[in-house]
Amino acid sequence: MTTKEIQIHDKSFYPFISESEIMTSVKTLAKALEKDYEGKDLLLIAILNGAFMFASDIMKCIQRDAEISFVKVSSYKGTQTSGRVDELIGLNNNMENRHVVILEDIVDTGITIDKVISLINANDPASVEVCTLLYKPEAYKGKHKPKYIGFEIPNKFVVGYGLDYNELGRNLKELYQLKEE
Ligand code: 5GP
């Protein structure tokens, strides 16, 4: 792992969680899913864009049959009076009686994941849990604390391993934390 600070757009970041620490955590999470969902029909749902790298690595570590689907959260103005409505683009799997695990890169306030859970619950799955690589306990205000957490981290901005700063930094193999001036 590089020990050097990096620059993305106008900000500096320093190394935070190494590639090997990430991979150890991903393997542990994959093992926990294998154990907890043994004999059950498992459907993984990864939230784009940020979770693409985490989802890919966790899929490679799961040594059993598992289906995966990639969805995107979108907000749009309704044509009626309801105002903002959120939908999940790409959600077309049959979920009835299936066990869903949502794969997220990071849970911060928990607003996104709460919306995703309620949209998924409308499809009558047997169960829904969240598996996130990163979780910020100090920022979290949601209703569904993730069951599977890779790292609990301070309430500071991070990039790398799928997470971006204004669309850059997603390709970094390790995680970097914002350097506060
Ligand atoms: P929420 O606050 O709803 O839990 O998180 C919303 C989204 O904000 C996350 O899915 C993620 O895309 C983004 N986000 C939250 N914290 C960070 C962070 O530290 N770094 C980056 N790159 N994105 C973050």
Side-chain angles (χ1 to χ4, degrees):
M1 173 173 178
T2 170
T3 53
K4 288 221 178 81
E5 275 179 33
I6 58 161
Q7 183 83 15
I8 303 176
H9 296 299
D10 57 331
K11 304 252 185 265
S12 297
F13 295 83
Y14 54 83
F16 179 46
I17 302 176
S18 71
E19 187 182 2
S20 67
E21 287 170 322
I22 293 170
M23 285 318 296
T24 301
S25 176
V26 167
K27 283 175 195 155
T28 305
L29 292 171
K31 284 277 156 276
L33 294 178
E34 276 174 20
K35 181 170 168 281
D36 293 357
Y37 290 88
E38 198 178 344
K40 292 179 178 163
D41 186 357
L42 175 62
L43 171 64
L44 300 171
I45 295 186
I47 313 295
L48 293 173
N49 292 331
F52 78 93
M53 213 176 264
F54 176 49
S56 164
D57 281 340
I58 211 151
M59 242 350 223
K60 285 187 269 183
C61 293
I62 291 179
Q63 291 168 352
R64 54 153 285 171
D65 285 343
E67 207 175 294
I68 190 163
S69 202
F70 292 84
V71 300
K72 211 162 178 167
V73 183
S74 134
S75 310
Y76 63 94
K77 289 267 179 199
T79 53
Q80 306 288 316
T81 51
S82 55
R84 246 179 70 140
V85 182
D86 289 282
E87 63 168 352
L88 280 181
I89 298 170
L91 190 67
N92 40 29
N93 307 69
N94 175 20
M95 289 184 209
E96 241 171 273
N97 303 319
R98 304 185 72 188
H99 296 272
V100 172
V101 173
I102 302 165
L103 299 179
E104 252 293 33
D105 46 337
I106 188 162
V107 174
D108 184 355
T109 63
I111 291 169
T112 306
I113 213 70
D114 277 358
K115 281 182 189 155
V116 170
I117 289 172
S118 65
L119 291 164
I120 286 177
N121 270 333
N123 295 276
D124 289 328
S127 68
V128 182
E129 296 291 353
V130 176
C131 175
T132 184
L133 181 68
L134 304 170
Y135 172 64
K136 292 181 178 172
E138 294 154 31
Y140 185 73
K141 297 183 183 71
K143 293 197 284 275
H144 309 89
K145 188 184 167 188
K147 181 169 180 186
Y148 303 94
I149 295 172
F151 300 93
E152 292 205 354
I153 62 166
N155 194 8
K156 290 184 183 167
F157 191 80
V158 294
V159 291
Y161 195 68
L163 290 111
D164 73 310
Y165 169 47
N166 285 346
E167 294 307 327
L168 294 183
R170 295 192 197 276
N171 54 322
L172 298 164
K173 292 191 183 78
E174 53 281 285
L175 281 152
Y176 288 78
Q177 195 173 60
L178 179 65
K179 187 179 172 194
E180 274 148 20
E181 305 300 323

